[in-house]
Short mmCIF file of all heavy atoms in Angstrom, two decimals:
data_model
loop_
_atom_site.label_atom_id
_atom_site.label_comp_id
_atom_site.label_asym_id
_atom_site.label_seq_id
_atom_site.Cartn_x
_atom_site.Cartn_y
_atom_site.Cartn_z
N ALA M 382 0.82 -1.21 0.00
CA ALA M 382 0.00 0.00 0.00
C ALA M 382 0.86 1.26 0.00
O ALA M 382 2.00 1.26 0.46
CB ALA M 382 -0.92 0.00 1.22
N GLU M 383 0.28 2.35 -0.52
CA GLU M 383 0.96 3.63 -0.53
C GLU M 383 0.59 4.49 0.66
O GLU M 383 1.26 5.49 0.94
CB GLU M 383 0.64 4.38 -1.83
CG GLU M 383 1.15 3.67 -3.08
CD GLU M 383 0.87 4.45 -4.35
OE1 GLU M 383 0.23 5.52 -4.25
OE2 GLU M 383 1.28 4.00 -5.43
N ALA M 384 -0.49 4.13 1.36
CA ALA M 384 -0.95 4.91 2.51
C ALA M 384 -1.49 3.97 3.57
O ALA M 384 -1.93 2.85 3.26
CB ALA M 384 -2.03 5.90 2.09
N PRO M 385 -1.46 4.38 4.83
CA PRO M 385 -1.96 3.53 5.90
C PRO M 385 -3.49 3.46 5.92
O PRO M 385 -4.17 4.27 5.28
CB PRO M 385 -1.43 4.22 7.17
CG PRO M 385 -1.28 5.65 6.78
CD PRO M 385 -0.89 5.64 5.34
N CYS M 386 -4.02 2.50 6.66
CA CYS M 386 -5.46 2.34 6.79
C CYS M 386 -6.03 3.51 7.60
O CYS M 386 -5.48 3.89 8.63
CB CYS M 386 -5.78 1.03 7.50
SG CYS M 386 -5.23 -0.44 6.61
N ALA M 387 -7.15 4.04 7.11
CA ALA M 387 -7.76 5.20 7.77
C ALA M 387 -8.96 4.83 8.62
O ALA M 387 -9.34 5.61 9.49
CB ALA M 387 -8.17 6.24 6.73
N ASP M 388 -9.57 3.66 8.39
CA ASP M 388 -10.72 3.26 9.19
C ASP M 388 -10.81 1.74 9.27
O ASP M 388 -9.97 1.02 8.71
CB ASP M 388 -12.01 3.88 8.65
CG ASP M 388 -12.32 3.47 7.22
OD1 ASP M 388 -11.78 2.45 6.74
OD2 ASP M 388 -13.12 4.17 6.56
N ALA M 389 -11.83 1.26 9.96
CA ALA M 389 -11.98 -0.18 10.17
C ALA M 389 -12.15 -0.93 8.86
O ALA M 389 -11.62 -2.04 8.69
CB ALA M 389 -13.15 -0.45 11.10
N ASP M 390 -12.89 -0.36 7.90
CA ASP M 390 -13.08 -1.02 6.61
C ASP M 390 -11.76 -1.20 5.89
O ASP M 390 -11.49 -2.26 5.29
CB ASP M 390 -14.05 -0.21 5.74
CG ASP M 390 -15.48 -0.27 6.25
OD1 ASP M 390 -15.83 -1.24 6.94
OD2 ASP M 390 -16.25 0.66 5.94
N ASP M 391 -10.92 -0.17 5.92
CA ASP M 391 -9.59 -0.26 5.30
C ASP M 391 -8.78 -1.39 5.94
O ASP M 391 -8.09 -2.15 5.24
CB ASP M 391 -8.82 1.05 5.48
CG ASP M 391 -9.35 2.18 4.61
OD1 ASP M 391 -10.19 1.92 3.73
OD2 ASP M 391 -8.90 3.32 4.81
N VAL M 392 -8.84 -1.49 7.26
CA VAL M 392 -8.06 -2.51 7.99
C VAL M 392 -8.50 -3.90 7.56
O VAL M 392 -7.66 -4.77 7.26
CB VAL M 392 -8.23 -2.34 9.51
CG1 VAL M 392 -7.61 -3.52 10.24
CG2 VAL M 392 -7.59 -1.04 9.97
N LEU M 393 -9.81 -4.14 7.52
CA LEU M 393 -10.31 -5.48 7.20
C LEU M 393 -10.05 -5.84 5.74
O LEU M 393 -9.88 -7.02 5.42
CB LEU M 393 -11.80 -5.55 7.52
CG LEU M 393 -12.13 -5.45 9.01
CD1 LEU M 393 -13.63 -5.40 9.23
CD2 LEU M 393 -11.51 -6.61 9.78
N GLU M 394 -10.01 -4.85 4.88
CA GLU M 394 -9.67 -5.11 3.48
C GLU M 394 -8.18 -5.44 3.34
O GLU M 394 -7.80 -6.34 2.59
CB GLU M 394 -10.02 -3.91 2.61
CG GLU M 394 -9.73 -4.12 1.13
CD GLU M 394 -10.14 -2.94 0.27
OE1 GLU M 394 -10.77 -2.00 0.80
OE2 GLU M 394 -9.82 -2.96 -0.93
N ALA M 395 -7.34 -4.71 4.06
CA ALA M 395 -5.90 -4.91 3.97
C ALA M 395 -5.45 -6.19 4.66
O ALA M 395 -4.51 -6.85 4.22
CB ALA M 395 -5.16 -3.71 4.56
N PHE M 396 -6.14 -6.52 5.78
CA PHE M 396 -5.74 -7.67 6.58
C PHE M 396 -6.96 -8.55 6.88
O PHE M 396 -7.52 -8.49 7.99
CB PHE M 396 -5.09 -7.21 7.89
CG PHE M 396 -3.92 -6.29 7.71
CD1 PHE M 396 -4.06 -4.91 7.88
CD2 PHE M 396 -2.68 -6.79 7.34
CE1 PHE M 396 -2.98 -4.07 7.71
CE2 PHE M 396 -1.60 -5.94 7.16
CZ PHE M 396 -1.74 -4.58 7.34
N PRO M 397 -7.41 -9.33 5.91
CA PRO M 397 -8.60 -10.16 6.12
C PRO M 397 -8.38 -11.27 7.13
O PRO M 397 -9.35 -11.85 7.64
CB PRO M 397 -8.89 -10.72 4.73
CG PRO M 397 -7.58 -10.66 4.01
CD PRO M 397 -6.88 -9.46 4.55
N HIS M 398 -7.14 -11.59 7.43
CA HIS M 398 -6.82 -12.64 8.39
C HIS M 398 -5.77 -12.14 9.39
O HIS M 398 -4.95 -11.29 9.06
CB HIS M 398 -6.29 -13.89 7.67
CG HIS M 398 -7.20 -14.38 6.58
ND1 HIS M 398 -8.41 -14.99 6.82
CD2 HIS M 398 -7.07 -14.32 5.23
CE1 HIS M 398 -8.98 -15.30 5.68
NE2 HIS M 398 -8.19 -14.90 4.69
N GLY M 399 -5.83 -12.68 10.59
CA GLY M 399 -4.79 -12.39 11.58
C GLY M 399 -5.22 -11.48 12.70
O GLY M 399 -4.70 -11.57 13.81
N ILE M 400 -6.14 -10.55 12.44
CA ILE M 400 -6.62 -9.63 13.47
C ILE M 400 -7.81 -10.25 14.20
O ILE M 400 -8.69 -10.85 13.57
CB ILE M 400 -7.03 -8.28 12.86
CG1 ILE M 400 -5.82 -7.62 12.17
CG2 ILE M 400 -7.58 -7.34 13.92
CD1 ILE M 400 -6.18 -6.39 11.37
N ASP M 401 -7.84 -10.12 15.51
CA ASP M 401 -8.93 -10.69 16.31
C ASP M 401 -10.06 -9.69 16.55
O ASP M 401 -11.23 -10.04 16.43
CB ASP M 401 -8.37 -11.19 17.64
CG ASP M 401 -7.36 -12.31 17.45
OD1 ASP M 401 -7.79 -13.42 17.09
OD2 ASP M 401 -6.15 -12.06 17.61
N LEU M 402 -9.71 -8.45 16.89
CA LEU M 402 -10.71 -7.42 17.16
C LEU M 402 -10.30 -6.13 16.45
O LEU M 402 -9.11 -5.79 16.41
CB LEU M 402 -10.83 -7.13 18.66
CG LEU M 402 -11.31 -8.27 19.57
CD1 LEU M 402 -11.27 -7.82 21.03
CD2 LEU M 402 -12.72 -8.71 19.21
N VAL M 403 -11.28 -5.42 15.92
CA VAL M 403 -11.00 -4.12 15.32
C VAL M 403 -11.97 -3.09 15.87
O VAL M 403 -13.18 -3.34 15.94
CB VAL M 403 -11.07 -4.17 13.78
CG1 VAL M 403 -12.43 -4.63 13.29
CG2 VAL M 403 -10.71 -2.81 13.17
N VAL M 404 -11.44 -1.98 16.31
CA VAL M 404 -12.25 -0.87 16.80
C VAL M 404 -12.87 -0.16 15.60
O VAL M 404 -12.15 0.28 14.69
CB VAL M 404 -11.40 0.12 17.62
CG1 VAL M 404 -12.21 1.36 17.96
CG2 VAL M 404 -10.88 -0.55 18.88
N ASP M 405 -14.18 -0.06 15.59
CA ASP M 405 -14.89 0.62 14.50
C ASP M 405 -15.33 1.98 15.03
O ASP M 405 -16.34 2.11 15.71
CB ASP M 405 -16.09 -0.22 14.06
CG ASP M 405 -16.68 0.29 12.74
OD1 ASP M 405 -16.38 1.43 12.36
OD2 ASP M 405 -17.45 -0.46 12.11
N ALA M 406 -14.53 2.98 14.73
CA ALA M 406 -14.79 4.34 15.20
C ALA M 406 -14.70 5.29 14.01
O ALA M 406 -14.72 4.87 12.86
CB ALA M 406 -13.80 4.72 16.29
N ALA M 407 -14.59 6.56 14.27
CA ALA M 407 -14.54 7.55 13.19
C ALA M 407 -13.31 7.35 12.31
O ALA M 407 -12.27 6.84 12.76
CB ALA M 407 -14.54 8.95 13.78
#
C-alpha cells in the first residue's frame, strides 16, 4: 500500500486474516 489504513473497513480489506478485534470508530 501507498498509505496507511484510515478506518476499520480499510483494515479489514488490507488484513482479512490475523486480526482478532477491530475498533470501528470515526
Side-chain angles (χ1 to χ4, degrees):
E383 296 182 357
C386 298
D388 60 20
D390 289 336
D391 288 350
V392 171
L393 294 175
E394 181 178 353
F396 304 101
H398 306 289
I400 299 171
D401 297 288
L402 297 176
V403 59
V404 172
D405 192 343

